[in-house]
Amino acid sequence: MRAMIMDALAEPLEVREVPEPSAPAGGVVVEVHATGLCKSDWHAWVGHDDVALPHVPGHELAGIIVEVGEGVQRWSVGDRVTVPFVMGCGACEWCRGGNAQVCPDQQQPGFTQWGSFAERVVLRAADTNVVRIPDGVSFEAAAALGCRFATAYRALTGRARVQAGEWITIVGAGGVGLSAVMIGVALGARVIVVDRTPAALDAARRLGAEHTLVAGETDIAAAVHEITGGGSHVSVDAVGSAQTARDAVLSLRRRGRHVQIGLLPTDDGLTAMPMARVIAWELDLLGSHGMAAVDYPEMLSLIDSGALRPQELIERVIGLGEAAALLPAMDAASPAGMTMIDPRRA
């Protein structure tokens, strides 16, 4: 099969032929029809994640099952499926309790194993992790759920528990940020978006953001407090830097809730936060690390009904060769939406 190969950290990627995978016990092999190009893939490429070389990136995917391993009960060849980017072991207390996204023995396509920037990918513990795609949902829309859209959905519904009428400040209007905009608007919240690029802010307004602020040109926290009359009820850092996290937290009103989605890689694994404000105002700091497969049905039903439309976030669909050239530049680029890869394209 054709795959995008990373032979060294932070070096050019190559698309070449590699052996096809086979299904392990309890797992399946999926022919990839769509897979998202995400900032998290850049983190793996540059070396912020510990990956074994040579490596195939890619963690947001959708496709068709082409092989089923021994012991799989729920799945058959030909099923249209997707998967969360965190795959639980299926046996631990967290998986049994419906929280596979924090499984201590988790596997992640594109990080702990070869990923979906290939014509085929292995999905382990299929009966725990694999999710059926409704007939009315496209492969591209389903692939968007594997990381960014599902992460934003759970961040706002399961973690921050956003209520209609509340203010949300979303810092960063890439794929996950725009997903959060769409979901926040659908929940009846009032959305403020912060980003540095006009195209991203334009996209946020089209999706229903009431206010947009240009990062670096204003005091973000002060502007949000003025707009909202005291600060947002919920803030989201969808970028992942000390500055964006700080701006998001300081934009909150008293007893507000902050959700950290963007990764915060540092040399010592620690990130400075304005803890004096957190203590004095009784702010909640929440992490969000994807969403388990058992939580997908509610979200998928909203997508199938048209209430949520992740396909509107897809900016373009490209092949593996173009993706190999784009991935190294993702830290500098600020695309207004999602880039999807179809590995079957020449």
Side-chain angles (χ1 to χ4, degrees):
M1 68 174 183
R2 293 173 67 247
M4 182 196 299
I5 305 296
M6 185 168 75
D7 290 307
L9 297 178
E11 294 292 338
L13 299 123
E14 181 183 358
V15 177
R16 63 175 186 259
E17 295 285 334
V18 297
E20 290 187 358
S22 57
V28 298
V29 174
V30 169
E31 179 184 72
V32 180
H33 285 230
T35 178
L37 186 64
C38 177
K39 178 74 174 289
S40 297
D41 302 309
W42 177 86
H43 281 290
W45 173 77
V46 81
H48 293 157
D49 295 278
D50 186 16
V51 298
L53 301 173
H55 182 64
V56 176
H59 61 287
E60 297 177 306
L61 68 110
I64 294 175
I65 293 176
V66 293
E67 185 182 346
V68 175
E70 181 182 358
V72 174
Q73 301 294 318
R74 297 179 51 210
W75 304 103
S76 302
V77 170
D79 288 342
R80 303 173 73 246
V81 299
T82 186
V83 69
F85 78 92
V86 175
M87 299 189 300
C89 68
C92 70
E93 62 177 281
W94 292 275
C95 287
R96 295 197 305 271
N99 289 297
Q101 77 280 356
V102 293
C103 172
D105 193 28
Q106 63 187 245
Q107 298 292 316
Q108 296 183 26
F111 300 96
T112 64
Q113 65 167 71
W114 278 22
S116 54
F117 292 171
E119 292 178 324
R120 296 189 175 196
V121 65
V122 169
L123 304 181
R124 304 176 190 279
D127 287 336
T128 294
N129 298 306
V130 172
V131 178
R132 191 178 307 278
I133 303 173
D135 291 340
V137 177
S138 69
F139 287 115
E140 290 80 12
L145 308 181
C147 174
R148 286 167 282 189
F149 200 89
T151 296
Y153 184 86
R154 185 168 179 276
L156 295 185
T157 61
R159 301 296 281 151
R161 301 192 181 281
V162 169
Q163 302 298 310
E166 290 189 318
W167 284 100
I168 306 174
T169 296
I170 299 167
V171 182
V176 70
L178 291 177
S179 298
V181 173
M182 180 180 287
I183 295 160
V185 170
L187 294 171
R190 307 181 70 181
V191 178
I192 301 168
V193 176
V194 180
D195 201 277
R196 62 187 180 183
T197 61
L201 295 175
D202 288 344
R205 285 189 291 269
R206 289 196 301 271
L207 291 171
E210 289 190 33
H211 299 272
T212 57
L213 300 171
V214 180
E217 294 187 5
T218 186
D219 182 331
I220 297 302
V224 171
H225 279 261
E226 182 176 355
I227 291 168
T228 60
S232 287
H233 301 85
V234 173
S235 65
V236 176
D237 175 15
V239 178
S241 74
Q243 184 63 53
T244 55
R246 179 181 175 85
D247 285 344
V249 171
L250 292 179
S251 76
L252 288 170
R253 66 179 58 210
R254 296 170 189 269
R255 305 213 74 208
R257 294 101 69 195
H258 170 70
V259 188
Q260 186 65 37
I261 293 177
L263 301 177
L264 290 163
T266 60
D267 291 339
D268 61 6
L270 304 176
T271 303
M273 294 290 270
M275 293 304 295
R277 174 69 64 85
V278 171
I279 295 165
W281 287 20
E282 290 194 353
L283 306 178
D284 291 339
L285 302 183
L286 305 165
S288 189
H289 190 229
M291 187 166 77
V294 295
D295 294 328
Y296 269 61
E298 177 183 289
M299 178 179 63
L300 283 168
S301 67
L302 292 172
I303 295 168
D304 201 22
S305 71
L308 289 174
R309 301 174 301 280
Q311 61 272 19
E312 292 185 6
L313 302 174
I314 298 169
E315 182 183 25
R316 55 188 169 177
V317 180
I318 61 176
L320 284 173
E322 188 175 354
L326 287 175
L327 192 154
M330 289 201 71
D331 189 45
S334 297
M338 299 183 185
T339 296
M340 284 290 154
I341 304 164
D342 183 347
R344 302 168 301 164
R345 290 191 177 191

